[in-house]
Amino acid sequence: MSRLKSTWLSGLVVAGAMAWGLGAAAADPIRIGIANFGEHPQLNASIAGFKKALAENGFVEGKDVVYTESHTNFDASLVPQMIAKLQAEQPKLVYTITTPVSQIAKKALAGSGIPVVFSAVTDPVAAKLVPSWEAGDDGMTGATDLQDVAAVMAFTHKLLPNAKRFGVPYNPGEANDQALLDKIKEAAPDAGFEVVEVGVDNVNDIQQRIASFAGKADVIYTPASNLLQPAIGAVSAAARQAQIPIVNSDDGAVRDGVVPASFAVNYEQVGVNAGKIAAQILKGADPKTIAPSRPAYEDHAPLISKKAAAAFGIEVPAALATECNCVVD
C-alpha cells in the first residue's frame, strides 16, 4: 500500500471517529435536577406535570432529557446539601418545588449559570424570588400556585351559607403562608367574611392551635402550607373535635374522606405551567424575560366528600351539589 493511500485511509478513520464522537455527544440527553421538599400528592403532581409539559415540547424523558429527583422529607436544614448534590451533576436546569427550596436554591446557585424554574410557590415576589409579577430574575422564574381567594370564599359561602368567620391557620415562618393570609385579609370584606388567624409553627402544636378556633370561627380554611398539609389528618381531627368544618386547599384529603371540602388548584397544571417555562429556557430564552405564571380560574376545582361532610355535621346544599357536580362518596 502506498504511503499516500495509507495516510488517506488513516484520515478517513480519524474523521469517522470524530464524526461518531460528535454524534454521540449530540445524542446525550439533557440533565435536569428536581429539588422537591418532600413526598406529597400535590408536590408529586407538580413533578408529573413538569415532565409532561417538557415531553410535549420535544424533551422526551430517557431520550432527550434525564432527571435526577431528590427531596428532604420536609427538613429545611437538608436543602443546601440536596442542592449541592444536584449542582455537582452539572444539570442544564434545576426545577425547585416549594418556597423554602426555591429560596435556598436561588442563593446557592447564584452565578452558577444554572437556571432555576420554581413551582408550588404562592407569592414569588414576597419570597424575593423575582422582582415583580411582570418579570423573572437573573437565572430564575417559574409557576405559582396562587389561589383565587375570592373564588374560595364564594364556594365557602355556597357550602356554608351561614358562615361569617373565616379561620386561617398558617405558619408565620413560611413566606407562602404569610402571603396568602395577606390576600385573604384583603378579599374578606368584599366576600362578607371576618378573618380569624392562628399561627402554627410546630406540628406538635396543631391540636392546641386548631382547638383555639372553637367559638371564634365558623369555618377553617387550610392553605397549601408545607407544615399544615402533610399533617392535615391532625388538623382535621382537631377541627372535627371543635365542630368546625374545613375547606382545604388540596383535594387529596377530600378524596380520602379526611376533610369535608376543598377548592383547590390543580398542581399537575402548576407543574405543566413550570414545564412550559423550562422548555423556553432550554431553547434559549432568558429567565429574566419570562414573567412567573399564575393558575387560571379554570385551573381550580371544588370537591366535597359526602362521608366527611356528614362526620362534620354538614348538609351539602342540593343546589351546590347540582351546580358543581363535585360530590364524592
Side-chain angles (χ1 to χ4, degrees):
M1 184 182 294
S2 71
R3 188 172 181 182
L4 179 61
K5 188 172 183 181
S6 176
T7 303
W8 177 72
L9 285 173
S10 298
L12 278 179
V13 170
V14 171
M18 288 178 65
W20 181 88
L22 288 171
D28 285 345
I30 292 167
R31 183 170 296 281
I32 293 178
I34 298 180
N36 194 4
F37 203 17
E39 291 284 342
H40 186 273
Q42 287 177 320
L43 307 185
N44 294 343
S46 72
I47 294 175
F50 180 78
K51 292 181 177 181
K52 175 183 175 183
L54 278 170
E56 290 174 348
N57 280 273
F59 298 94
V60 178
E61 184 173 3
K63 176 187 174 186
D64 308 296
V65 63
V66 292
Y67 300 99
T68 299
E69 298 184 38
S70 187
H71 72 83
T72 66
N73 199 27
F74 299 100
D75 187 340
S77 69
L78 297 177
V79 174
Q81 179 182 344
M82 172 176 65
I83 299 298
K85 284 185 176 180
L86 291 174
Q87 182 180 5
E89 294 191 353
Q90 298 182 321
K92 195 82 172 177
L93 181 144
V94 170
Y95 178 44
T96 59
I97 303 161
T98 75
T99 297
V101 173
S102 301
Q103 288 173 319
I104 292 170
K106 182 178 176 67
K107 292 180 181 178
L109 297 176
S112 69
I114 302 172
V116 178
V117 174
F118 59 74
S119 79
V121 170
T122 298
D123 190 332
V125 180
K128 301 187 187 318
L129 298 177
V130 294
S132 75
W133 282 98
E134 285 70 49
D137 203 356
D138 289 328
M140 174 174 270
T141 189
T144 77
D145 61 3
L146 182 63
Q147 291 192 300
D148 188 326
V149 174
V152 172
M153 292 182 170
F155 168 74
T156 302
H157 268 313
K158 291 178 181 178
L159 178 65
L160 304 163
N162 298 320
K164 299 186 182 305
R165 299 171 298 178
F166 198 81
V168 184
Y170 73 105
N171 181 1
E174 188 171 331
N176 264 4
D177 289 27
Q178 187 63 62
L180 187 60
L181 177 62
D182 292 342
K183 294 183 186 305
I184 288 171
K185 288 179 177 178
E186 184 181 338
D190 288 341
F193 275 115
E194 170 195 345
V195 177
V196 181
E197 62 189 83
V198 170
V200 186
D201 55 11
N202 191 306
V203 290
N204 296 323
D205 295 334
I206 285 177
Q207 170 70 39
Q208 177 187 356
R209 301 293 171 84
I210 299 299
S212 71
F213 280 117
K216 299 176 184 176
D218 303 314
V219 60
I220 292 172
Y221 173 68
T222 42
S225 166
N226 291 310
L227 185 146
L228 294 170
Q229 286 303 325
I232 192 63
V235 174
S236 179
R240 183 175 172 184
Q241 190 172 354
Q243 283 299 290
I244 307 172
I246 290 177
V247 173
N248 196 31
S249 58
D250 172 27
D251 63 7
V254 181
R255 296 184 190 282
D256 293 339
V258 175
V259 299
S262 65
F263 193 88
V265 168
N266 182 329
Y267 274 80
E268 182 174 348
Q269 185 59 47
V270 172
V272 166
N273 294 344
K276 289 178 179 177
I277 290 172
Q280 292 180 58
I281 293 170
L282 291 174
K283 291 175 181 179
D286 183 348
K288 198 170 184 176
T289 66
I290 304 173
S293 74
R294 312 187 204 195
Y297 179 82
E298 55 270 20
D299 295 338
H300 299 68
L303 194 68
I304 301 168
S305 164
K306 192 185 298 182
K307 171 187 170 184
F312 274 80
I314 300 173
E315 186 174 341
V316 180
L320 173 60
T322 302
E323 173 192 327
C324 75
N325 192 28
C326 62
V327 179
V328 295
D329 292 335

